[in-house]
Amino acid sequence: MSVLSLTGVCLSFPRGKRHVIRVLDDVTIEIDAGETVAVLAQRAQGKTSLLRVAAGIERPDRGHVRFEGEDLWGFSERRRSRLLGGQIGWVGSATPDLDLPMLANVSLPLFATHGKSESYARATAALQRVGARECARQFWGSLADWERALVAVAQGIAREPKLLLVDDLTLSLGLGEIEQITRLLDALATEQGFAVLMSVSDAGATGWSRRVATLAGGELLETRRSPVEGNIIDFPGVHDSRRDISS
Amino acid sequence: MGGTTAQPLSAGDAVLGLVIELPGNSYQLEQRLEARFGSAQFSHATAYHALKRLSKQGLIRPIEDSSPPPLSAAPPLSAPAAQSAASASPDTDVADLPATAYEATPAGIAHFRRWLRASTATPPVREELQAKIAFCGPEDLPRMVAIVREAELACAAQLEDLNQRMRRQRLLDRDDAWRRLTGMIVTAADVAWWDARIKWLQTLRQYLQREGQRYAAEQRQASSPPRD
């Protein structure tokens, strides 16, 4: 069963009395556990809207959004919002609301469900896993873009989600940093078994995603193909490649 | 400026460079050519034919004792490759056998160094789709939109292939910092090309769709009976 399934999703926003902007037009996509899917689109083409629909924040005009087979809009509002705070993680590049050290920032959303000490422990582990342990005592303003991206990923995985939605995280990063962050996301998805749907505005950020879709004019295009892992493992002279990718 | 005619990367230069990096047989070089220059979309058995040509030119030579081969044992050629190899050289001698490993000669290394250091020219843009758009009429717009959509899908598939090759190559280069760096830069150039193309196709598709809708509306208006 897919972790996330969007079927025939349409979303439009009114502009004045006569005009309507169609952001998503009959969008269908399925993502399984451990899979990373990158949606490549230019600015203002509905990337964030797609993620908001997937997160259950935005209700589509038509179509179905299913999380682990259950229709998100069949849930109560409370259950939906709990889902977003827990099993669905959101990774973006927005400045945090509170000016706190990063450890506090990552752990704060966990307090309600996990208690203080457990929250700190989870946040510390998440920062360590993404390689941002030294950012724990730093404030947002003192971090480089690259460190901010790592902290955002740590925040996303601290709640051990089943689905991670990543909104154009690599926009301000350099070539090597983009490769490292997308490689990290793919490794985390494989290691922790969550699905990743990431929006990107540059093809370079699709490098470690197993599937690439394009989005323009509300239309999502994708050539869904069979997994290719076997090819990597069977390549002459290369053994146990999955371990190497994840390390 | 602009005096030289731009040539695409020749299979011979690419294969010669790969042989200089590491001697190998045609199967291994075919694999490495695909891994390193997959976006060039060289045809099947390219490395085999390039090796034959380079050997005739004295730029490479068969390694006398080429067992075991330098990388890993080459699996038997697939039926089409074997057929292609056999049909290409009815008078195949020992040096032409697919399992024969080759190394560069001093002349080959000198030739390659000259190629590496020579200036390159900007390749011409000969895009069939651009010409189709240039010649199409409003009545062709629905078909043009479909063609652009197909091209966009094909590009996304190419990007997936490139990403897959890149992941494989990173594993092979993991102990070679210089090769990792050049690999990353070359991949970035490939990706930038696909990125630009996908974005152009996306913009084009939306533009053609808008124009198609406008044209259809005009047609409907023109064919409806005039009001008194």
Side-chain angles (χ1 to χ4, degrees), chain B residues 86-121:
Chain B
S87 64
S89 62
D91 53 343
T92 303
D93 59 27
V94 176
D96 287 339
L97 289 174
T100 306
Y102 289 88
E103 64 184 359
T105 61
I109 294 169
H111 174 90
F112 188 75
R113 297 298 299 169
R114 278 197 300 277
W115 170 82
L116 188 76
R117 288 163 177 249
S119 302
T120 57

PDB file of all heavy atoms in Angstrom, chain B residues 86-121:
ATOM      1  N   ALA B  86      30.204  -9.502 -34.723  1.00  0.00           N
ATOM      2  CA  ALA B  86      30.550 -10.470 -35.757  1.00  0.00           C
ATOM      3  C   ALA B  86      30.270  -9.908 -37.148  1.00  0.00           C
ATOM      4  O   ALA B  86      31.108 -10.007 -38.046  1.00  0.00           O
ATOM      5  CB  ALA B  86      29.757 -11.756 -35.549  1.00  0.00           C
ATOM      6  N   SER B  87      29.106  -9.246 -37.292  1.00  0.00           N
ATOM      7  CA  SER B  87      28.747  -8.742 -38.611  1.00  0.00           C
ATOM      8  C   SER B  87      29.646  -7.585 -39.018  1.00  0.00           C
ATOM      9  O   SER B  87      29.886  -7.351 -40.197  1.00  0.00           O
ATOM     10  CB  SER B  87      27.285  -8.299 -38.624  1.00  0.00           C
ATOM     11  OG  SER B  87      27.132  -7.216 -37.735  1.00  0.00           O
ATOM     12  N   ALA B  88      30.170  -6.864 -38.020  1.00  0.00           N
ATOM     13  CA  ALA B  88      31.000  -5.705 -38.344  1.00  0.00           C
ATOM     14  C   ALA B  88      32.377  -6.130 -38.831  1.00  0.00           C
ATOM     15  O   ALA B  88      33.056  -5.381 -39.504  1.00  0.00           O
ATOM     16  CB  ALA B  88      31.147  -4.818 -37.113  1.00  0.00           C
ATOM     17  N   SER B  89      32.828  -7.313 -38.460  1.00  0.00           N
ATOM     18  CA  SER B  89      34.175  -7.705 -38.851  1.00  0.00           C
ATOM     19  C   SER B  89      34.211  -9.172 -39.242  1.00  0.00           C
ATOM     20  O   SER B  89      34.519 -10.026 -38.421  1.00  0.00           O
ATOM     21  CB  SER B  89      35.147  -7.453 -37.695  1.00  0.00           C
ATOM     22  OG  SER B  89      34.779  -8.230 -36.604  1.00  0.00           O
ATOM     23  N   PRO B  90      33.907  -9.462 -40.485  1.00  0.00           N
ATOM     24  CA  PRO B  90      33.927 -10.854 -40.912  1.00  0.00           C
ATOM     25  C   PRO B  90      35.329 -11.450 -40.814  1.00  0.00           C
ATOM     26  O   PRO B  90      35.491 -12.645 -40.595  1.00  0.00           O
ATOM     27  CB  PRO B  90      33.418 -10.811 -42.350  1.00  0.00           C
ATOM     28  CG  PRO B  90      33.481  -9.378 -42.784  1.00  0.00           C
ATOM     29  CD  PRO B  90      33.475  -8.554 -41.560  1.00  0.00           C
ATOM     30  N   ASP B  91      36.352 -10.598 -40.970  1.00  0.00           N
ATOM     31  CA  ASP B  91      37.726 -11.115 -40.930  1.00  0.00           C
ATOM     32  C   ASP B  91      38.378 -10.824 -39.579  1.00  0.00           C
ATOM     33  O   ASP B  91      39.483 -10.346 -39.482  1.00  0.00           O
ATOM     34  CB  ASP B  91      38.555 -10.491 -42.059  1.00  0.00           C
ATOM     35  CG  ASP B  91      38.478  -8.987 -42.026  1.00  0.00           C
ATOM     36  OD1 ASP B  91      37.545  -8.446 -41.366  1.00  0.00           O
ATOM     37  OD2 ASP B  91      39.332  -8.337 -42.645  1.00  0.00           O
ATOM     38  N   THR B  92      37.601 -11.085 -38.526  1.00  0.00           N
ATOM     39  CA  THR B  92      38.059 -10.788 -37.178  1.00  0.00           C
ATOM     40  C   THR B  92      39.339 -11.553 -36.846  1.00  0.00           C
ATOM     41  O   THR B  92      39.404 -12.757 -37.016  1.00  0.00           O
ATOM     42  CB  THR B  92      36.973 -11.198 -36.162  1.00  0.00           C
ATOM     43  OG1 THR B  92      35.806 -10.505 -36.524  1.00  0.00           O
ATOM     44  CG2 THR B  92      37.355 -10.861 -34.755  1.00  0.00           C
ATOM     45  N   ASP B  93      40.369 -10.820 -36.386  1.00  0.00           N
ATOM     46  CA  ASP B  93      41.543 -11.518 -35.898  1.00  0.00           C
ATOM     47  C   ASP B  93      41.521 -11.485 -34.369  1.00  0.00           C
ATOM     48  O   ASP B  93      40.596 -10.969 -33.762  1.00  0.00           O
ATOM     49  CB  ASP B  93      42.827 -10.908 -36.472  1.00  0.00           C
ATOM     50  CG  ASP B  93      42.972  -9.451 -36.125  1.00  0.00           C
ATOM     51  OD1 ASP B  93      42.426  -9.030 -35.077  1.00  0.00           O
ATOM     52  OD2 ASP B  93      43.617  -8.734 -36.904  1.00  0.00           O
ATOM     53  N   VAL B  94      42.551 -12.040 -33.764  1.00  0.00           N
ATOM     54  CA  VAL B  94      42.545 -12.192 -32.307  1.00  0.00           C
ATOM     55  C   VAL B  94      42.377 -10.846 -31.601  1.00  0.00           C
ATOM     56  O   VAL B  94      41.644 -10.716 -30.635  1.00  0.00           O
ATOM     57  CB  VAL B  94      43.857 -12.869 -31.858  1.00  0.00           C
ATOM     58  CG1 VAL B  94      43.924 -12.962 -30.342  1.00  0.00           C
ATOM     59  CG2 VAL B  94      43.943 -14.260 -32.474  1.00  0.00           C
ATOM     60  N   ALA B  95      43.057  -9.826 -32.160  1.00  0.00           N
ATOM     61  CA  ALA B  95      43.015  -8.515 -31.512  1.00  0.00           C
ATOM     62  C   ALA B  95      41.631  -7.881 -31.557  1.00  0.00           C
ATOM     63  O   ALA B  95      41.359  -6.958 -30.816  1.00  0.00           O
ATOM     64  CB  ALA B  95      44.020  -7.587 -32.177  1.00  0.00           C
ATOM     65  N   ASP B  96      40.738  -8.381 -32.443  1.00  0.00           N
ATOM     66  CA  ASP B  96      39.407  -7.799 -32.558  1.00  0.00           C
ATOM     67  C   ASP B  96      38.386  -8.458 -31.635  1.00  0.00           C
ATOM     68  O   ASP B  96      37.250  -8.042 -31.560  1.00  0.00           O
ATOM     69  CB  ASP B  96      38.894  -7.925 -34.004  1.00  0.00           C
ATOM     70  CG  ASP B  96      39.627  -6.962 -34.912  1.00  0.00           C
ATOM     71  OD1 ASP B  96      40.174  -5.987 -34.371  1.00  0.00           O
ATOM     72  OD2 ASP B  96      39.651  -7.211 -36.119  1.00  0.00           O
ATOM     73  N   LEU B  97      38.785  -9.511 -30.955  1.00  0.00           N
ATOM     74  CA  LEU B  97      37.812 -10.208 -30.118  1.00  0.00           C
ATOM     75  C   LEU B  97      37.343  -9.284 -28.992  1.00  0.00           C
ATOM     76  O   LEU B  97      38.152  -8.566 -28.410  1.00  0.00           O
ATOM     77  CB  LEU B  97      38.438 -11.476 -29.534  1.00  0.00           C
ATOM     78  CG  LEU B  97      38.679 -12.605 -30.540  1.00  0.00           C
ATOM     79  CD1 LEU B  97      39.435 -13.745 -29.874  1.00  0.00           C
ATOM     80  CD2 LEU B  97      37.362 -13.112 -31.126  1.00  0.00           C
ATOM     81  N   PRO B  98      36.049  -9.335 -28.685  1.00  0.00           N
ATOM     82  CA  PRO B  98      35.510  -8.420 -27.681  1.00  0.00           C
ATOM     83  C   PRO B  98      36.204  -8.522 -26.326  1.00  0.00           C
ATOM     84  O   PRO B  98      36.266  -7.565 -25.590  1.00  0.00           O
ATOM     85  CB  PRO B  98      34.046  -8.832 -27.573  1.00  0.00           C
ATOM     86  CG  PRO B  98      33.737  -9.551 -28.843  1.00  0.00           C
ATOM     87  CD  PRO B  98      35.011 -10.175 -29.289  1.00  0.00           C
ATOM     88  N   ALA B  99      36.738  -9.706 -25.966  1.00  0.00           N
ATOM     89  CA  ALA B  99      37.335  -9.876 -24.637  1.00  0.00           C
ATOM     90  C   ALA B  99      38.766  -9.332 -24.570  1.00  0.00           C
ATOM     91  O   ALA B  99      39.367  -9.273 -23.511  1.00  0.00           O
ATOM     92  CB  ALA B  99      37.327 -11.339 -24.249  1.00  0.00           C
ATOM     93  N   THR B 100      39.330  -8.943 -25.729  1.00  0.00           N
ATOM     94  CA  THR B 100      40.702  -8.437 -25.739  1.00  0.00           C
ATOM     95  C   THR B 100      40.774  -7.094 -25.032  1.00  0.00           C
ATOM     96  O   THR B 100      39.999  -6.183 -25.335  1.00  0.00           O
ATOM     97  CB  THR B 100      41.192  -8.265 -27.194  1.00  0.00           C
ATOM     98  OG1 THR B 100      41.002  -9.495 -27.873  1.00  0.00           O
ATOM     99  CG2 THR B 100      42.652  -7.866 -27.235  1.00  0.00           C
ATOM    100  N   ALA B 101      41.716  -6.975 -24.106  1.00  0.00           N
ATOM    101  CA  ALA B 101      41.891  -5.699 -23.403  1.00  0.00           C
ATOM    102  C   ALA B 101      42.893  -4.834 -24.175  1.00  0.00           C
ATOM    103  O   ALA B 101      43.815  -5.352 -24.811  1.00  0.00           O
ATOM    104  CB  ALA B 101      42.375  -5.962 -21.996  1.00  0.00           C
ATOM    105  N   TYR B 102      42.675  -3.538 -24.153  1.00  0.00           N
ATOM    106  CA  TYR B 102      43.542  -2.606 -24.867  1.00  0.00           C
ATOM    107  C   TYR B 102      44.175  -1.621 -23.908  1.00  0.00           C
ATOM    108  O   TYR B 102      43.599  -1.283 -22.878  1.00  0.00           O
ATOM    109  CB  TYR B 102      42.718  -1.821 -25.898  1.00  0.00           C
ATOM    110  CG  TYR B 102      42.262  -2.651 -27.069  1.00  0.00           C
ATOM    111  CD1 TYR B 102      41.057  -3.351 -27.013  1.00  0.00           C
ATOM    112  CD2 TYR B 102      43.023  -2.721 -28.233  1.00  0.00           C
ATOM    113  CE1 TYR B 102      40.629  -4.111 -28.081  1.00  0.00           C
ATOM    114  CE2 TYR B 102      42.593  -3.486 -29.311  1.00  0.00           C
ATOM    115  CZ  TYR B 102      41.404  -4.174 -29.234  1.00  0.00           C
ATOM    116  OH  TYR B 102      40.974  -4.929 -30.287  1.00  0.00           O
ATOM    117  N   GLU B 103      45.352  -1.154 -24.323  1.00  0.00           N
ATOM    118  CA  GLU B 103      46.006  -0.062 -23.596  1.00  0.00           C
ATOM    119  C   GLU B 103      46.430   0.977 -24.630  1.00  0.00           C
ATOM    120  O   GLU B 103      46.515   0.681 -25.829  1.00  0.00           O
ATOM    121  CB  GLU B 103      47.226  -0.581 -22.829  1.00  0.00           C
ATOM    122  CG  GLU B 103      48.324  -1.111 -23.745  1.00  0.00           C
ATOM    123  CD  GLU B 103      49.494  -1.707 -22.990  1.00  0.00           C
ATOM    124  OE1 GLU B 103      49.473  -1.701 -21.748  1.00  0.00           O
ATOM    125  OE2 GLU B 103      50.433  -2.180 -23.655  1.00  0.00           O
ATOM    126  N   ALA B 104      46.681   2.194 -24.159  1.00  0.00           N
ATOM    127  CA  ALA B 104      47.051   3.263 -25.087  1.00  0.00           C
ATOM    128  C   ALA B 104      48.521   3.149 -25.472  1.00  0.00           C
ATOM    129  O   ALA B 104      49.353   2.720 -24.669  1.00  0.00           O
ATOM    130  CB  ALA B 104      46.787   4.612 -24.437  1.00  0.00           C
ATOM    131  N   THR B 105      48.840   3.536 -26.703  1.00  0.00           N
ATOM    132  CA  THR B 105      50.239   3.607 -27.134  1.00  0.00           C
ATOM    133  C   THR B 105      50.748   5.018 -26.825  1.00  0.00           C
ATOM    134  O   THR B 105      49.945   5.928 -26.582  1.00  0.00           O
ATOM    135  CB  THR B 105      50.338   3.363 -28.647  1.00  0.00           C
ATOM    136  OG1 THR B 105      49.590   4.400 -29.304  1.00  0.00           O
ATOM    137  CG2 THR B 105      49.775   2.007 -29.037  1.00  0.00           C
ATOM    138  N   PRO B 106      52.049   5.246 -26.844  1.00  0.00           N
ATOM    139  CA  PRO B 106      52.559   6.610 -26.635  1.00  0.00           C
ATOM    140  C   PRO B 106      51.956   7.590 -27.647  1.00  0.00           C
ATOM    141  O   PRO B 106      51.629   8.730 -27.286  1.00  0.00           O
ATOM    142  CB  PRO B 106      54.065   6.451 -26.842  1.00  0.00           C
ATOM    143  CG  PRO B 106      54.346   5.026 -26.465  1.00  0.00           C
ATOM    144  CD  PRO B 106      53.151   4.251 -26.892  1.00  0.00           C
ATOM    145  N   ALA B 107      51.750   7.109 -28.904  1.00  0.00           N
ATOM    146  CA  ALA B 107      51.140   7.993 -29.915  1.00  0.00           C
ATOM    147  C   ALA B 107      49.710   8.330 -29.515  1.00  0.00           C
ATOM    148  O   ALA B 107      49.243   9.459 -29.716  1.00  0.00           O
ATOM    149  CB  ALA B 107      51.158   7.294 -31.272  1.00  0.00           C
ATOM    150  N   GLY B 108      49.007   7.356 -28.945  1.00  0.00           N
ATOM    151  CA  GLY B 108      47.626   7.570 -28.502  1.00  0.00           C
ATOM    152  C   GLY B 108      47.564   8.583 -27.382  1.00  0.00           C
ATOM    153  O   GLY B 108      46.695   9.454 -27.361  1.00  0.00           O
ATOM    154  N   ILE B 109      48.497   8.468 -26.449  1.00  0.00           N
ATOM    155  CA  ILE B 109      48.520   9.412 -25.321  1.00  0.00           C
ATOM    156  C   ILE B 109      48.806  10.818 -25.832  1.00  0.00           C
ATOM    157  O   ILE B 109      48.150  11.785 -25.432  1.00  0.00           O
ATOM    158  CB  ILE B 109      49.561   8.973 -24.261  1.00  0.00           C
ATOM    159  CG1 ILE B 109      49.100   7.645 -23.627  1.00  0.00           C
ATOM    160  CG2 ILE B 109      49.746  10.039 -23.196  1.00  0.00           C
ATOM    161  CD1 ILE B 109      50.134   6.951 -22.757  1.00  0.00           C
ATOM    162  N   ALA B 110      49.765  10.937 -26.755  1.00  0.00           N
ATOM    163  CA  ALA B 110      50.110  12.260 -27.318  1.00  0.00           C
ATOM    164  C   ALA B 110      48.912  12.836 -28.072  1.00  0.00           C
ATOM    165  O   ALA B 110      48.584  14.023 -27.933  1.00  0.00           O
ATOM    166  CB  ALA B 110      51.309  12.123 -28.245  1.00  0.00           C
ATOM    167  N   HIS B 111      48.228  11.983 -28.851  1.00  0.00           N
ATOM    168  CA  HIS B 111      47.042  12.409 -29.606  1.00  0.00           C
ATOM    169  C   HIS B 111      45.966  12.922 -28.648  1.00  0.00           C
ATOM    170  O   HIS B 111      45.349  13.970 -28.874  1.00  0.00           O
ATOM    171  CB  HIS B 111      46.518  11.225 -30.431  1.00  0.00           C
ATOM    172  CG  HIS B 111      45.233  11.502 -31.135  1.00  0.00           C
ATOM    173  ND1 HIS B 111      45.193  12.018 -32.416  1.00  0.00           N
ATOM    174  CD2 HIS B 111      43.939  11.340 -30.748  1.00  0.00           C
ATOM    175  CE1 HIS B 111      43.925  12.165 -32.774  1.00  0.00           C
ATOM    176  NE2 HIS B 111      43.148  11.759 -31.777  1.00  0.00           N
ATOM    177  N   PHE B 112      45.786  12.175 -27.570  1.00  0.00           N
ATOM    178  CA  PHE B 112      44.733  12.549 -26.619  1.00  0.00           C
ATOM    179  C   PHE B 112      45.071  13.869 -25.922  1.00  0.00           C
ATOM    180  O   PHE B 112      44.198  14.701 -25.692  1.00  0.00           O
ATOM    181  CB  PHE B 112      44.550  11.423 -25.588  1.00  0.00           C
ATOM    182  CG  PHE B 112      43.362  11.652 -24.694  1.00  0.00           C
ATOM    183  CD1 PHE B 112      42.074  11.453 -25.166  1.00  0.00           C
ATOM    184  CD2 PHE B 112      43.523  12.105 -23.384  1.00  0.00           C
ATOM    185  CE1 PHE B 112      40.968  11.685 -24.355  1.00  0.00           C
ATOM    186  CE2 PHE B 112      42.434  12.335 -22.576  1.00  0.00           C
ATOM    187  CZ  PHE B 112      41.153  12.117 -23.063  1.00  0.00           C
ATOM    188  N   ARG B 113      46.343  14.038 -25.580  1.00  0.00           N
ATOM    189  CA  ARG B 113      46.756  15.288 -24.914  1.00  0.00           C
ATOM    190  C   ARG B 113      46.499  16.475 -25.834  1.00  0.00           C
ATOM    191  O   ARG B 113      46.068  17.533 -25.379  1.00  0.00           O
ATOM    192  CB  ARG B 113      48.251  15.254 -24.538  1.00  0.00           C
ATOM    193  CG  ARG B 113      48.650  14.200 -23.550  1.00  0.00           C
ATOM    194  CD  ARG B 113      47.994  14.335 -22.218  1.00  0.00           C
ATOM    195  NE  ARG B 113      48.283  15.591 -21.516  1.00  0.00           N
ATOM    196  CZ  ARG B 113      47.635  15.992 -20.418  1.00  0.00           C
ATOM    197  NH1 ARG B 113      46.653  15.269 -19.927  1.00  0.00           N
ATOM    198  NH2 ARG B 113      47.951  17.112 -19.828  1.00  0.00           N
ATOM    199  N   ARG B 114      46.764  16.291 -27.137  1.00  0.00           N
ATOM    200  CA  ARG B 114      46.509  17.392 -28.096  1.00  0.00           C
ATOM    201  C   ARG B 114      45.017  17.704 -28.136  1.00  0.00           C
ATOM    202  O   ARG B 114      44.614  18.862 -28.119  1.00  0.00           O
ATOM    203  CB  ARG B 114      46.997  16.990 -29.503  1.00  0.00           C
ATOM    204  CG  ARG B 114      48.482  17.180 -29.720  1.00  0.00           C
ATOM    205  CD  ARG B 114      48.834  17.175 -31.215  1.00  0.00           C
ATOM    206  NE  ARG B 114      48.464  15.914 -31.860  1.00  0.00           N
ATOM    207  CZ  ARG B 114      49.215  14.811 -31.841  1.00  0.00           C
ATOM    208  NH1 ARG B 114      50.370  14.806 -31.188  1.00  0.00           N
ATOM    209  NH2 ARG B 114      48.828  13.707 -32.447  1.00  0.00           N
ATOM    210  N   TRP B 115      44.176  16.653 -28.153  1.00  0.00           N
ATOM    211  CA  TRP B 115      42.727  16.851 -28.180  1.00  0.00           C
ATOM    212  C   TRP B 115      42.245  17.580 -26.909  1.00  0.00           C
ATOM    213  O   TRP B 115      41.452  18.505 -26.961  1.00  0.00           O
ATOM    214  CB  TRP B 115      42.019  15.491 -28.309  1.00  0.00           C
ATOM    215  CG  TRP B 115      40.537  15.592 -28.096  1.00  0.00           C
ATOM    216  CD1 TRP B 115      39.610  15.969 -29.013  1.00  0.00           C
ATOM    217  CD2 TRP B 115      39.817  15.358 -26.883  1.00  0.00           C
ATOM    218  NE1 TRP B 115      38.354  15.979 -28.451  1.00  0.00           N
ATOM    219  CE2 TRP B 115      38.457  15.599 -27.135  1.00  0.00           C
ATOM    220  CE3 TRP B 115      40.200  14.958 -25.587  1.00  0.00           C
ATOM    221  CZ2 TRP B 115      37.472  15.474 -26.151  1.00  0.00           C
ATOM    222  CZ3 TRP B 115      39.214  14.831 -24.612  1.00  0.00           C
ATOM    223  CH2 TRP B 115      37.871  15.076 -24.909  1.00  0.00           C
ATOM    224  N   LEU B 116      42.809  17.116 -25.769  1.00  0.00           N
ATOM    225  CA  LEU B 116      42.381  17.669 -24.473  1.00  0.00           C
ATOM    226  C   LEU B 116      42.658  19.164 -24.392  1.00  0.00           C
ATOM    227  O   LEU B 116      41.858  19.929 -23.850  1.00  0.00           O
ATOM    228  CB  LEU B 116      43.127  16.931 -23.354  1.00  0.00           C
ATOM    229  CG  LEU B 116      42.688  17.221 -21.922  1.00  0.00           C
ATOM    230  CD1 LEU B 116      41.378  16.507 -21.627  1.00  0.00           C
ATOM    231  CD2 LEU B 116      43.740  16.770 -20.927  1.00  0.00           C
ATOM    232  N   ARG B 117      43.781  19.587 -24.960  1.00  0.00           N
ATOM    233  CA  ARG B 117      44.202  20.975 -24.812  1.00  0.00           C
ATOM    234  C   ARG B 117      43.742  21.870 -25.950  1.00  0.00           C
ATOM    235  O   ARG B 117      43.951  23.082 -25.904  1.00  0.00           O
ATOM    236  CB  ARG B 117      45.729  21.048 -24.679  1.00  0.00           C
ATOM    237  CG  ARG B 117      46.164  20.516 -23.326  1.00  0.00           C
ATOM    238  CD  ARG B 117      47.617  20.169 -23.246  1.00  0.00           C
ATOM    239  NE  ARG B 117      47.945  19.729 -21.890  1.00  0.00           N
ATOM    240  CZ  ARG B 117      48.707  20.428 -21.046  1.00  0.00           C
ATOM    241  NH1 ARG B 117      49.234  21.565 -21.420  1.00  0.00           N
ATOM    242  NH2 ARG B 117      48.954  19.973 -19.838  1.00  0.00           N
ATOM    243  N   ALA B 118      43.129  21.284 -26.963  1.00  0.00           N
ATOM    244  CA  ALA B 118      42.655  22.104 -28.098  1.00  0.00           C
ATOM    245  C   ALA B 118      41.389  22.862 -27.698  1.00  0.00           C
ATOM    246  O   ALA B 118      40.639  22.421 -26.830  1.00  0.00           O
ATOM    247  CB  ALA B 118      42.367  21.189 -29.289  1.00  0.00           C
ATOM    248  N   SER B 119      41.173  24.015 -28.321  1.00  0.00           N
ATOM    249  CA  SER B 119      39.977  24.803 -28.033  1.00  0.00           C
ATOM    250  C   SER B 119      38.738  24.046 -28.492  1.00  0.00           C
ATOM    251  O   SER B 119      38.798  23.212 -29.401  1.00  0.00           O
ATOM    252  CB  SER B 119      40.034  26.134 -28.771  1.00  0.00           C
ATOM    253  OG  SER B 119      41.189  26.825 -28.388  1.00  0.00           O
ATOM    254  N   THR B 120      37.615  24.358 -27.873  1.00  0.00           N
ATOM    255  CA  THR B 120      36.359  23.769 -28.337  1.00  0.00           C
ATOM    256  C   THR B 120      35.465  24.898 -28.845  1.00  0.00           C
ATOM    257  O   THR B 120      35.555  26.030 -28.384  1.00  0.00           O
ATOM    258  CB  THR B 120      35.608  23.026 -27.213  1.00  0.00           C
ATOM    259  OG1 THR B 120      35.385  23.954 -26.154  1.00  0.00           O
ATOM    260  CG2 THR B 120      36.391  21.849 -26.703  1.00  0.00           C
ATOM    261  N   ALA B 121      34.618  24.587 -29.788  1.00  0.00           N
ATOM    262  CA  ALA B 121      33.699  25.590 -30.329  1.00  0.00           C
ATOM    263  C   ALA B 121      32.292  25.322 -29.794  1.00  0.00           C
ATOM    264  O   ALA B 121      32.000  24.217 -29.335  1.00  0.00           O
ATOM    265  CB  ALA B 121      33.699  25.514 -31.853  1.00  0.00           C
TER     266      ALA B 121
END
